[in-house]
C-alpha cells in the first residue's frame, strides 16, 4: 500500500485494504468452513469481533469524506497501538484452556529457529523479500489494469487484495483442519483490524489517500455487508456451517465478477474501446516509466 501511494496510484492502496477485508471474511472464512464447520466460543474473540465491526463503521465514515488525511492516519495508527497494548495486558489474564491451545499450536510448528540472531536474520530476509515483492506486484497491477481496460481500484480490490489475503487463507485452512476455530476467526479479525488501522493508517500518515467514487458507491458497502454476515456468528459463538461457508465463498466469487462486469459503477469496456492493444501497451509502458522515475 505504501508503494502504491508513493507511486501515484493510491487507488491500489485503498483497494488493497478494502478488498483484502472483503476476501478475509467471505473467502478466508468461507473456504475453511466448507472443510470443517468453524466454531468459536471464546470471550476474547467476541470482544475483538465487536471492535472490528466498530472500526469498520468508523473507517467507512472517514472514507465518505472523499479522502483520508495525514492526521486521521496518525489517529488510526495510535488506535492500533492502544488496541495492541490493551490486548496484551488483558490477554495475560486469559484462562488456562486458551494458554494450552496456544502451546499446542506452537509445538505443532516444525523447524522453527531457536537462535535469536537466526530469527532476526529470517525477519530481515522476509522484509527484504516483501519490499521487492510489493514493487513487482504494483508494477504488474498497473500493467494489467491498463491492458485489461480496468481501473487501478479494481485491480487493488481483486487481484492484489486476493494476493495479500492468501497467507490468512493458508492459516485458516490449517486451523480448520486442526479444529481450531478460534485461530481461524481470530486470524480474520486481527487481519481486518491491522488492514484498517495499521496499513491504511500508516499509508495515510505518509501521504493523503483519496477515495475513488467507485469505492464510495459500491465496495465500502460490500465490506460492511460482509462484516454483518459473520458478526452474529462471532458474537454468539455459533458455528459457521459448511452450507454457510459455501454461501460466503460463492458471494465472494460474485463480488469479484461484479468488479469486471461494470456492476461496481466503473465500465470495463470503456477504456478498452478507447485504446487499441498497441496503445494500451504503450500506456502501460509510460505508467511504469513514471513509476520508476518516482522511485
Amino acid at each position: 500500500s505504501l508503494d502504491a501511494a508513493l507511486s501515484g496510484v493510491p487507488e491500489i492502496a485503498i483497494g488493497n485494504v478494502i478488498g483484502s477485508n472483503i476476501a478475509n471474511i467471505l473467502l478466508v472464512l468461507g473456504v475453511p468452513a466448507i472443510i470443517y464447520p468453524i466454531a468459536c466460543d471464546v470471550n476474547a474473540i467476541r470482544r475483538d469481533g465487536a471492535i472490528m465491526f466498530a472500526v469498520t463503521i468508523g473507517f467507512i465514515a472517514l472514507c465518505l469524506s472523499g479522502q483520508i488525511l495525514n492526521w486521521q492516519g496518525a489517529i488510526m495508527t495510535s488506535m492500533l497501538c492502544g488496541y495492541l497494548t490493551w490486548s496484551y495486558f488483558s490477554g495475560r489474564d486469559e484462562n488456562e484452556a486458551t494458554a494450552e491451545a496456544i502451546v499446542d499450536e506452537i509445538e505443532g510448528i516444525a523447524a522453527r529457529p531457536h537462535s535469536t540472531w537466526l530469527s532476526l536474520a529470517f525477519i530481515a530476509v522476509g522484509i527484504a523479500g516483501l519490499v521487492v515483492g510489493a514493487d513487482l506486484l504494483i508494477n504488474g497491477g498497473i500493467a494489467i489494469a491498463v491492458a485489461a481496460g480496468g481501473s487501478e481500484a479494481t485491480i487493488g480490490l481483486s487481484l492484489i487484495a486476493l494476493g495479500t489475503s492468501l497467507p490468512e487463507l493458508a492459516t485458516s485452512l490449517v486451523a480448520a483442519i486442526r479444529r481450531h476455530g478460534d485461530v481461524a476467526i481470530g486470524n480474520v479479525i486481527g487481519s481486518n483490524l491491522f488492514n484498517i488501522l495499521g496499513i491504511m493508517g500508516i499509508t495515510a500518515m505518509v501521504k493523503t489517500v483519496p477515495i475513488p467514487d467507485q469505492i464510495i458507491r459500491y465496495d465500502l458497502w460490500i465490506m460492511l455487508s460482509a462484516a454483518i454476515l459473520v458478526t452474529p456468528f462471532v458474537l454468539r459463538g455459533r458455528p459457521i456451517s459448511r452450507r454457510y461457508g459455501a454461501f460466503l465463498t460463492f458471494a465472494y466469487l460474485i463480488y469479484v465478477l461484479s468488479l469486471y462486469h461494470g456492476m461496481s459503477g466503473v465500465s470495463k469496456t470503456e477504456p478498452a474501446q478507447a485504446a487499441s492493444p498497441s496503445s494500451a501497451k504503450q500506456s502501460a509502458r509510460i505508467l511504469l516509466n513514471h513509476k520508476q522515475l518516482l522511485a
Side-chain angles (χ1 to χ4, degrees), residues 2-267:
L2 280 171
D3 195 335
L6 294 175
S7 300
V9 279
E11 296 88 351
I12 290 182
I14 185 68
N16 174 37
V17 168
I18 295 176
S20 181
N21 277 21
I22 294 172
N24 282 346
I25 294 176
L26 299 181
L27 189 68
V28 175
L29 282 182
V31 173
I34 296 175
I35 297 175
Y36 189 83
I38 298 175
C40 177
D41 192 16
V42 179
N43 290 332
I45 296 295
R46 294 179 182 177
R47 174 199 67 200
D48 294 340
I51 293 175
M52 183 202 74
F53 189 80
V55 167
T56 300
I57 295 293
F59 177 64
I60 290 175
L62 284 180
C63 290
L64 292 178
S65 66
Q67 60 182 352
I68 299 179
L69 304 174
N70 303 120
W71 65 269
Q72 293 171 332
I75 292 177
M76 293 164 67
T77 307
S78 300
M79 289 175 62
L80 177 63
C81 294
Y83 166 75
L84 292 175
T85 303
W86 175 64
S87 295
Y88 169 74
F89 286 105
S90 62
R92 295 170 62 181
D93 300 326
E94 295 291 338
N95 55 40
E96 292 185 4
T98 303
E100 290 175 0
I102 294 174
V103 171
D104 177 67
E105 194 70 26
I106 292 175
E107 289 178 349
I109 300 175
R112 63 185 186 277
H114 296 281
S115 168
T116 301
W117 289 108
L118 184 58
S119 298
L120 292 174
F122 282 175
I123 292 174
V125 171
I127 292 176
L130 184 65
V131 172
V132 174
D135 194 59
L136 294 174
L137 189 64
I138 297 305
N139 285 341
I142 294 173
I144 291 174
V146 174
S151 67
E152 287 87 356
T154 298
I155 297 299
L157 287 160
S158 54
L159 179 65
I160 294 179
L162 179 60
T164 57
S165 291
L166 288 179
E168 284 81 4
L169 178 59
T171 301
S172 293
L173 284 172
V174 173
I177 293 172
R178 295 184 179 182
R179 311 294 191 265
H180 289 315
D182 52 340
V183 175
I185 296 178
N187 172 44
V188 168
I189 293 174
S191 179
N192 282 15
L193 284 171
F194 266 86
N195 282 343
I196 293 176
L197 298 180
I199 295 177
M200 201 71 265
I202 294 174
T203 302
M205 284 177 61
V206 175
K207 187 173 183 180
T208 297
V209 178
I211 313 298
D213 291 338
Q214 168 193 351
I215 288 179
I216 294 177
R217 292 194 308 264
Y218 186 70
D219 303 286
L220 284 176
W221 310 110
I222 299 294
M223 181 178 67
L224 177 60
S225 299
I228 292 174
L229 285 175
V230 298
T231 297
F233 293 91
V234 175
L235 297 182
R236 298 179 182 178
R238 295 169 52 191
I240 300 176
S241 65
R242 288 189 175 94
R243 182 178 298 179
Y244 200 76
F247 165 73
L248 293 176
T249 305
F250 181 73
Y252 181 73
L253 295 177
I254 293 298
Y255 166 69
V256 173
L257 289 175
S258 73
L259 292 176
Y260 290 91
H261 287 80
M263 293 173 62
S264 62
V266 176
S267 174

